[in-house]
Amino acid sequence: MPRKLAAGNWKMNGLRSSLVEIQKLAERHSDTSVDVLICPPATLIEACRGLLFDIGGQDCHTAQSGAHTGDISAEMLSDAGATYVLTGHSERRTDHGETNATVAAKSQAAYDAGLTAVICIGETLAEREDGTTLDVIDQQLAQSVPDTATADNTVIAYEPVWAIGTGKVPSSDQIAEVHSHIRARMLDRFADGADMRLLYGGSVKGSNAAEIFSIANVDGALVGGASLKADDFSAIINALEES
Ligand SMILES: O=C[C@H](O)COP(=O)(O)O
């Protein structure tokens, strides 16, 4: 059985004053039975050192150093105390034109720096409505997940683009279909595919978390908005612990 993981992506939110939310969460979940990951903005990673939880970056460059103004490398994230990094989040794919090939290169850079990559995939609303969801997922998995992926260095996050920040959540059957499809592809491709953690992301809240965590092959969640406040994220962690 894969280890359960509750991951919070703060996106471009959070000042030093927000660290109190992580401290509160750490106090409440000091004996948690699940893995908890917080991906704050890069400016706060160093300040999170020593906290109870795993800390991750939200993106990294394909190179470890060089003339890339404004970018951050996986090695730098690791040096600041991160152990994970998100790659291929839909906001990076959409806003920054990241292709599957870029996502694979960033994920490989993460592995090379000793980080675990949380590789994000998911269909748009148009693709869902066209009935091409599983084809899109297949292509993203084939092209974004490096051949060097293992259950230790890789987490797959299924985030339907239309469910991110919208309050719209796919039905349990829709999540189950995609997660079982991803599991089958990971089993086909990797010897330890059964242990690779598969997260669902998109409008996860305390009120829907238990239902989502009851779905087969859902090993946790990648949470945006509801990870910003300790009370909200705590309810999701509780639901994962009880699942
Ligand atoms: O990375 C997190 C996802 O984009 C989900 O965001 P959300 O929980 O605000 O919908």
Side-chain angles (χ1 to χ4, degrees), residues 63-110:
Q64 303 296 3
S65 62
H68 305 289
T69 303
D71 277 317
I72 189 160
S73 74
E75 191 177 44
M76 291 168 179
L77 293 171
S78 172
D79 189 50
T83 50
Y84 285 77
V85 62
L86 307 181
T87 57
H89 190 283
S90 78
E91 287 150 16
R92 301 287 319 171
R93 291 178 186 262
T94 306
D95 301 349
H96 300 272
E98 289 191 8
T99 63
N100 287 325
T102 315
V103 177
K106 290 185 171 197
S107 303
Q108 185 61 53

Side-chain angles (χ1 to χ4, degrees), residues 37-40 42 45 55-59 77 82-87 115:
L37 164 67
I38 309 279
C39 300
I45 290 176
I55 299 300
Q58 298 176 9
D59 177 47
L77 293 171
T83 50
Y84 285 77
V85 62
L86 307 181
T87 57
L115 300 180

Side-chain angles (χ1 to χ4, degrees), residues 4-26:
K4 295 176 184 177
L5 174 63
N9 173 14
W10 281 18
K11 308 192 178 184
M12 199 172 73
N13 298 291
L15 302 174
R16 279 184 301 162
S17 56
S18 319
L19 292 170
V20 67
E21 298 298 327
I22 306 183
Q23 282 153 358
K24 270 197 249 174
L25 209 59

Side-chain angles (χ1 to χ4, degrees), residues 7-11 86 89-91 120 157 159-161 163-168 200-205 221-227 236:
N9 173 14
W10 281 18
K11 308 192 178 184
L86 307 181
H89 190 283
S90 78
E91 287 150 16
C120 305
E159 298 203 315
V161 178
I164 296 175
T166 60
K168 291 183 192 154
Y200 168 77
S203 297
V204 177
K205 301 188 272 272
L222 178 55
V223 183
S227 69
I236 293 169

